[in-house]
Amino acid sequence: MIIAVDAAGGEYAPHEIVKGAIKAAQEYEVEIALVGRKDILYVLAGRHLVKLGITIIDASQAIGAHESPVEAVRSKPDSSIVVGTNLVRDGIASAFVSAGNTGAVLYSALSSLGKIKGIERPAIGSLININTTAPTLLIDAGANTDCRPNYLVQFAQLGTIYSREILDISSPRVGLLNNGEENTRGNRLAQESHLLLKKRRNLNFIGNVEGQDISRGTTDVVVTDGFTGNIVLKTIEGLGDTFQKTMQVGRVLSEAYHLQGRALLLDVGLGSLAKSIDYREYGGACLLGVNGNIIIAHGRSQAKAIKNAIASARQTVERGVCQKIKEENYE
Amino acid sequence: MIIAVDAAGGEYAPHEIVKGAIKAAQEYEVEIALVGRKDILYVLAGRHLVKLGITIIDASQAIGAHESPVEAVRSKPDSSIVVGTNLVRDGIASAFVSAGNTGAVLYSALSSLGKIKGIERPAIGSLININTTAPTLLIDAGANTDCRPNYLVQFAQLGTIYSREILDISSPRVGLLNNGEENTRGNRLAQESHLLLKKRRNLNFIGNVEGQDISRGTTDVVVTDGFTGNIVLKTIEGLGDTFQKTMQVGRVLSEAYHLQGRALLLDVGLGSLAKSIDYREYGGACLLGVNGNIIIAHGRSQAKAIKNAIASARQTVERGVCQKIKEENYE
């Protein structure tokens, strides 16, 4: 299994990406193909290449975080994102991991790999780990800003497959993110989606869920449109950042006052909560519904997050998520 | 100034509501009118009535949290919510505070008080205190699930007035909640709202903001539709709950191990963060755009939150927020 990794995407590229890829190669016994500028990557990863089975695939161009996705993908055929998705299309790599411009990864995946038959809109499934004993898959976490009710039904199906295959939940509970629990709640999209979801027999639809359910572990799959999903994800991220900063203040204070036991206090409970809402720990999000395995890592990913995203990619390949999605009935 | 308080609304009614009202009467020198069942309220508040200037207004009916707002308001003319809003309409009370069924409070306020001239849709403005040095007003936090672009422009105007009058910010920065910072981002509603917001001269519109900006203090007013706003608010609340629980584990552990300095560690930084995302500390949200001062408290409000909501009501009256909204140009 070869996993292609975008070495030119994300805020900490290429150094942290290469570091994360090397760690993953050491820990998981996967072959990594680093995609980016050959000259730079040889310098950064050179001595690990043979020993760890890391290869380098040259991609002379890079797409910036703020470039317009469609234009960038079209005008930069030799960018790491386009080259990486093409490696998956051509069967050279089993998966592609990128912390680069999410819109560009989406567009490149759509045009290079195409959609799985029956899927109207591929969606991003993002695992939220606040409740570490019962993580929640948020889908769509940002691929589709304007949605129709039937898209949301498909998101529920995609999320169910992912949750079943990756988290080993035999019948994942699906909740529709809404502004109230009552069946009649919601904007037009949510109301119509609710009716459609209720009709689907192959879903374990538990009804409407609210924002607080994301951290409560009451639902395995939280379905929403990509606009709301993205905002929710980033709201959680913002709180995670605030939390981290506050923890640091606590640490500095406790050191200044030579307080005992601080390690215990910080590490048990609080530490694990901080970790679980820290994007550096995320395993990346999965683009579900395209013909291939695409893992979208956070733009601020450092080595650890990249390593986790590679682990996530490996698992997605091993469990055959893409094949399972193909076997589902979307009519 | 008389502030009417719904003694029959919310999970902890009537006990915690009465307790909160008594505390507010003691601390803020406001006259309180408790609205609810006379017989019960006399028992609960009896000995404070004369000393603190608390009056009791009988309302024999109560609207439950899960009742359909329109039906409930229509069929229960003697409910605490209807009686409370009518007290404001009739000029007997300067404001009404309720932790009851939000939909019912909205509908009752709309039908009893009416909208301020020029306002298409009154909205809920909710102060989010994660960044305690720079709280953010989220508007609409849940009144309007389906919105048009011009509603969002009015929300921005209402939020600006509230932020200016209550938080003393001379030119509040207004951000449009979106799934990316770039001007072209968003669903159709956000894209069209962005164009309209940019044109308005009397707004300090800083462009699109993302979920993480809510806790970063980069924006004074975050504008969004009520569907997204409600979900964001509840997501934050859910994290707040998780945080509280984790803090408790930390406390128990530190006590078990007799750790020194735990008070300092917990109270500085972490404690204040926990407090700021704890709904029990919220001062309630304000319904902006109706002809009167309506404060919506959290359904799980206990005494402290009710006390804070009353403080918030008093300030809204004193600063003449309603009058300022009437003086604005909405064309």
Side-chain angles (χ1 to χ4, degrees), chain B residues 154-231:
Chain B
Q154 293 197 342
F155 299 166
Q157 291 181 275
L158 293 171
T160 295
I161 296 169
Y162 188 86
S163 185
R164 201 175 55 211
E165 301 305 324
I166 297 292
L167 302 176
D168 294 319
I169 299 166
S170 59
S171 177
R173 293 160 299 174
V174 174
L176 176 67
L177 193 57
N178 210 325
N179 64 328
E181 281 185 357
E182 298 82 3
N183 287 349
T184 53
R185 281 303 191 89
N187 56 14
R188 234 166 303 152
L189 174 65
Q191 285 180 9
E192 290 172 22
S193 302
H194 184 103
L195 294 176
L196 291 183
L197 283 163
K198 235 165 57 177
K199 279 188 203 151
R200 282 223 73 105
R201 290 221 186 127
N202 55 350
L203 288 177
N204 181 8
F205 180 54
I206 60 163
N208 295 332
V209 296
E210 299 187 78
Q212 64 270 39
D213 289 293
I214 296 167
S215 46
R216 276 190 190 157
T218 48
T219 326
D220 301 306
V221 179
V222 170
V223 171
T224 189
D225 63 277
F227 179 79
T228 311
N230 179 280
I231 289 171

Side-chain angles (χ1 to χ4, degrees), chain B residues 15-263:
Chain B
H15 292 82
E16 289 289 322
I17 313 288
V18 172
K19 245 168 87 181
I22 291 170
K23 276 190 189 167
Q26 287 166 336
E27 275 185 43
Y28 308 130
E29 297 181 12
V30 284
E31 287 179 72
I32 306 270
L34 284 170
V35 186
R37 274 183 53 190
K38 217 174 182 171
D39 49 349
I40 297 176
L41 294 178
Y42 267 115
V43 174
L44 290 175
R47 63 193 179 89
H48 297 281
L49 293 180
V50 179
K51 204 178 67 191
L52 294 172
I54 295 179
T55 52
I56 288 173
I57 307 284
D58 193 36
S60 62
Q61 298 172 304
I63 294 175
H66 296 283
E67 285 191 64
S68 158
V70 179
E71 274 171 49
V73 168
R74 285 186 185 156
S75 65
K76 292 182 172 175
D78 203 36
S79 62
S80 57
I81 287 174
V82 175
V83 171
T85 43
N86 286 345
L87 288 174
V88 176
R89 179 198 61 194
D90 301 338
I92 296 164
S94 303
F96 177 51
V97 174
S98 177
N101 185 317
T102 302
V105 175
L106 280 174
Y107 183 71
S108 181
L110 276 171
S111 41
S112 171
L113 307 172
K115 296 185 278 187
I116 285 173
K117 208 186 151 194
I119 296 289
E120 302 218 42
R121 292 283 188 284
I124 297 173
S126 184
L127 268 181
I128 298 181
N129 256 327
I130 303 167
N131 188 321
T132 41
T133 53
T136 296
L137 185 78
L138 182 74
I139 183 167
D140 175 19
N144 308 281
T145 47
D146 284 295
C147 289
R148 293 185 186 163
N150 57 321
Y151 300 174
L152 267 69
V153 174
Q154 293 197 342
F155 299 166
Q157 291 181 275
L158 293 171
T160 295
I161 296 169
Y162 188 86
S163 185
R164 201 175 55 211
E165 301 305 324
I166 297 292
L167 302 176
D168 294 319
I169 299 166
S170 59
S171 177
R173 293 160 299 174
V174 174
L176 176 67
L177 193 57
N178 210 325
N179 64 328
E181 281 185 357
E182 298 82 3
N183 287 349
T184 53
R185 281 303 191 89
N187 56 14
R188 234 166 303 152
L189 174 65
Q191 285 180 9
E192 290 172 22
S193 302
H194 184 103
L195 294 176
L196 291 183
L197 283 163
K198 235 165 57 177
K199 279 188 203 151
R200 282 223 73 105
R201 290 221 186 127
N202 55 350
L203 288 177
N204 181 8
F205 180 54
I206 60 163
N208 295 332
V209 296
E210 299 187 78
Q212 64 270 39
D213 289 293
I214 296 167
S215 46
R216 276 190 190 157
T218 48
T219 326
D220 301 306
V221 179
V222 170
V223 171
T224 189
D225 63 277
F227 179 79
T228 311
N230 179 280
I231 289 171
V232 162
L233 201 65
K234 297 213 173 132
T235 300
I236 293 171
E237 199 183 300
L239 276 168
D241 283 355
T242 307
F243 190 78
Q244 288 284 342
K245 271 177 213 149
T246 316
M247 292 266 296
Q248 275 161 18
V249 173
R251 273 199 199 97
V252 171
L253 271 171
S254 65
E255 270 160 33
Y257 287 85
H258 302 290
L259 295 180
Q260 290 169 26
R262 63 174 196 281

Side-chain angles (χ1 to χ4, degrees), chain A residues 66 145 179 182 210 234 243, chain B residues 66 179 182 210 234 243:
Chain A
H66 296 284
T145 47
N179 64 328
E182 298 81 2
E210 299 187 77
K234 297 215 174 133
F243 191 78
Chain B
H66 296 283
N179 64 328
E182 298 82 3
E210 299 187 78
K234 297 213 173 132
F243 190 78

Side-chain angles (χ1 to χ4, degrees), chain A residues 65-67 69 101 103 130-131 142 145-147 177-182 185-191 210-216 224-228 230-232 234-243 245-247 249-251 253-254 257 259-262 264-266 268-273 277 300, chain B residues 65-67 69 101 103 130-131 142 145-147 177-182 185-191 210-216 224-228 230-232 234-243 245-247 249-251 253-254 257 259-262 264-266 268-273 277 300:
Chain A
H66 296 284
E67 284 191 64
N101 184 319
I130 302 168
N131 188 320
T145 47
D146 283 295
C147 289
L177 193 57
N178 211 324
N179 64 328
E181 282 185 357
E182 298 81 2
R185 281 304 191 89
N187 56 13
R188 236 167 300 152
L189 174 66
Q191 285 181 8
E210 299 187 77
Q212 63 270 39
D213 289 291
I214 296 168
S215 47
R216 276 189 191 157
T224 190
D225 63 275
F227 180 78
T228 311
N230 179 280
I231 289 172
V232 162
K234 297 215 174 133
T235 299
I236 294 172
E237 199 184 300
L239 275 167
D241 282 355
T242 307
F243 191 78
K245 272 179 212 148
T246 317
M247 293 267 296
V249 172
R251 273 201 199 96
L253 271 171
S254 65
Y257 287 85
L259 296 180
Q260 291 169 25
R262 65 174 195 278
L264 184 76
L265 239 184
L266 288 170
V268 180
L270 290 177
S272 73
L273 177 62
I277 50 177
R300 289 195 281 161
Chain B
H66 296 283
E67 285 191 64
N101 185 317
I130 303 167
N131 188 321
T145 47
D146 284 295
C147 289
L177 193 57
N178 210 325
N179 64 328
E181 281 185 357
E182 298 82 3
R185 281 303 191 89
N187 56 14
R188 234 166 303 152
L189 174 65
Q191 285 180 9
E210 299 187 78
Q212 64 270 39
D213 289 293
I214 296 167
S215 46
R216 276 190 190 157
T224 189
D225 63 277
F227 179 79
T228 311
N230 179 280
I231 289 171
V232 162
K234 297 213 173 132
T235 300
I236 293 171
E237 199 183 300
L239 276 168
D241 283 355
T242 307
F243 190 78
K245 271 177 213 149
T246 316
M247 292 266 296
V249 173
R251 273 199 199 97
L253 271 171
S254 65
Y257 287 85
L259 295 180
Q260 290 169 26
R262 63 174 196 281
L264 184 75
L265 239 184
L266 288 170
V268 180
L270 291 175
S272 73
L273 177 63
I277 51 177
R300 290 194 280 161

